[in-house]
Amino acid sequence: KSGKAVYFNNPMWPGEAHSIKVEKILFKEKSEYQEVLVFESSAYGKVLVLDGIVQLTEKDECAYQEMIAHLPLCSIKSPKNVLVVGGGDGGVLREISRHSSVEHIDICEIDKMVIDVSKKFFPELAVGFEDPRVNLHVGDAIEFLRCTPEGKYDAIIVDSSDPVGPAQELVEKPFFETIAKALRPGGVLCNMAESMWLHTHLIQDMISICRETFRGSVHYAWASVPTYPSGAIGFLLCSTEGPTVDFVKPINPIEKVEGANKCGRELRFYNSEMHTAAFALPTFLKREVSLL
Ligand SMILES: NCCCN[C@H]1CC[C@@H](N)CC1
């Protein structure tokens, strides 16, 4: 039925809620891992919700998908082998496909229902699965990475949901250690890193783990995504020991590359200035997560 849907009633953000007007429920079922909901909203186009948490909306998904993909990939000369953990909606694959240097993309998504639902209701994102370089693995990324040869990837992108539910283990040290092992020297990780307004303890924990695990550099970046709690989402950029990676200055600019729109969709959020600006942090955050 149409009406208002209230989100954020979740231990991840106690005491606050966000309501989005529902025009029509399009899909609602329980998968093996979570409840999957899709609805048409009045203000943000179609919305994908997992266990009551907004994952993406047609209107603002560009901010998250473009930044999580291009912050790492535009920071290294010519990425060839890329792994996506999560990302079952296909949006990050769409963005990676803009990089002509990429030869091989693995994606490991645990919930097949997310993939099927995205193909049905979000073709603008699921187009990412059509790229011939994509190899889909449906399963647990912890398992997948355990069987991954050392130094296989130039870049790994962890496009996860919140660490409450299937993505719980994706913020723990053992997981980051398997990622570091799977990256080549000077390889890069971009990990979804929650909200600077709501999760500084979790961000501090992740930064501490990453500082121990990635002997290159560790940076925090962020973007505005209106339909995420607090309207901001962070990204942790890490590089393994080896050729130095300067995340703040994109050495591999994507927006000027012709054919960067092979996926049939122009960039709508990312550009080199937004890339550099994403690493500018408010003083409270620098203080709270020892980035000063
Ligand atoms: N691939 C869609 C985005 C998944 N990541 C989001 C980051 C944090 C949000 N609270 C929910 C999902």
Side-chain angles (χ1 to χ4, degrees):
K1 64 188 185 337
S2 74
K4 228 189 248 298
V6 177
Y7 292 99
F8 299 174
N9 285 338
N10 188 295
M12 283 290 294
W13 24 80
E16 65 181 284
H18 171 200
S19 75
I20 305 179
K21 192 167 183 304
V22 175
E23 290 298 333
K24 186 170 185 298
I25 304 272
L26 301 172
F27 181 89
K28 185 172 193 242
E29 281 187 33
K30 271 199 182 309
S31 78
E32 211 182 318
Y33 299 95
Q34 53 208 336
E35 184 207 71
V36 180
L37 166 71
V38 179
F39 68 85
E40 185 64 55
S41 73
S42 330
Y44 287 96
K46 279 186 243 154
V47 182
L48 174 65
V49 181
L50 299 180
D51 279 348
I53 299 178
V54 170
Q55 299 295 305
L56 65 97
T57 81
E58 284 180 317
K59 182 178 170 81
D60 65 2
E61 55 90 2
C62 58
Y64 178 90
Q65 318 284 358
E66 291 179 24
M67 293 297 270
I68 201 170
H70 302 310
L71 286 176
L73 296 185
C74 293
S75 296
I76 52 177
K77 212 161 45 66
S78 69
K80 289 183 182 50
N81 291 315
V82 182
L83 167 64
V84 178
V85 170
D89 49 67
V92 179
L93 296 175
R94 175 194 70 205
E95 295 307 316
I96 296 169
S97 74
R98 297 179 195 275
H99 292 261
S100 48
S101 67
V102 169
E103 295 165 359
H104 182 94
I105 308 167
D106 284 316
I107 174 168
C108 187
E109 164 60 56
I110 199 163
D111 192 345
K112 187 152 178 343
M113 188 182 277
V114 172
I115 300 167
D116 297 340
V117 162
S118 186
K119 288 181 175 175
K120 186 165 166 40
F121 298 101
F122 298 93
E124 285 263 297
L125 285 96
V127 63
F129 286 103
E130 292 163 24
D131 190 303
R133 297 168 285 181
V134 171
N135 299 271
L136 170 61
H137 308 265
V138 177
D140 186 332
I142 310 257
E143 205 40 52
F144 180 85
L145 278 160
R146 218 198 300 280
C147 318
T148 298
E150 284 214 24
K152 175 171 181 181
Y153 296 105
D154 300 296
I156 296 179
I157 295 166
V158 179
D159 171 19
S160 60
S161 47
D162 298 286
V164 279
Q168 201 131 3
E169 294 170 86
L170 302 189
V171 293
E172 291 164 3
K173 186 163 186 180
F175 180 65
F176 286 105
E177 287 172 335
T178 58
I179 289 191
K181 207 165 62 61
L183 283 171
R184 65 155 169 80
V188 293
L189 160 68
C190 182
N191 205 100
M192 184 281 284
E194 297 299 353
S195 161
M196 63 168 76
W197 290 106
L198 305 173
H199 304 119
T200 45
H201 292 301
L202 173 57
I203 293 167
Q204 176 61 73
D205 291 349
M206 288 171 78
I207 287 178
S208 306
I209 290 171
C210 288
R211 282 229 170 97
E212 291 158 16
T213 313
F214 295 91
R215 317 300 292 172
S217 60
V218 176
H219 283 72
Y220 188 85
W222 64 285
S224 140
V225 182
T227 57
Y228 285 166
S230 80
I233 192 71
F235 305 100
L236 214 49
L237 278 297
C238 309
S239 60
T240 55
E241 197 155 14
T244 312
V245 176
D246 173 4
F247 285 112
V248 184
K249 238 183 2 298
I251 56 161
N252 173 24
I254 182 75
E255 69 263 36
K256 298 180 186 59
V257 174
E258 92 300 329
N261 302 321
K262 262 196 320 300
C263 59
R265 232 275 287 271
E266 301 287 315
L267 286 166
R268 296 197 332 215
F269 191 90
Y270 179 89
N271 59 55
S272 297
E273 296 82 18
M274 289 297 278
H275 179 126
T276 302
F279 291 90
L281 305 179
T283 302
F284 77 85
L285 183 66
K286 290 192 199 200
R287 201 174 284 129
E288 286 178 29
V289 298
S290 64
L291 284 170
L292 271 175

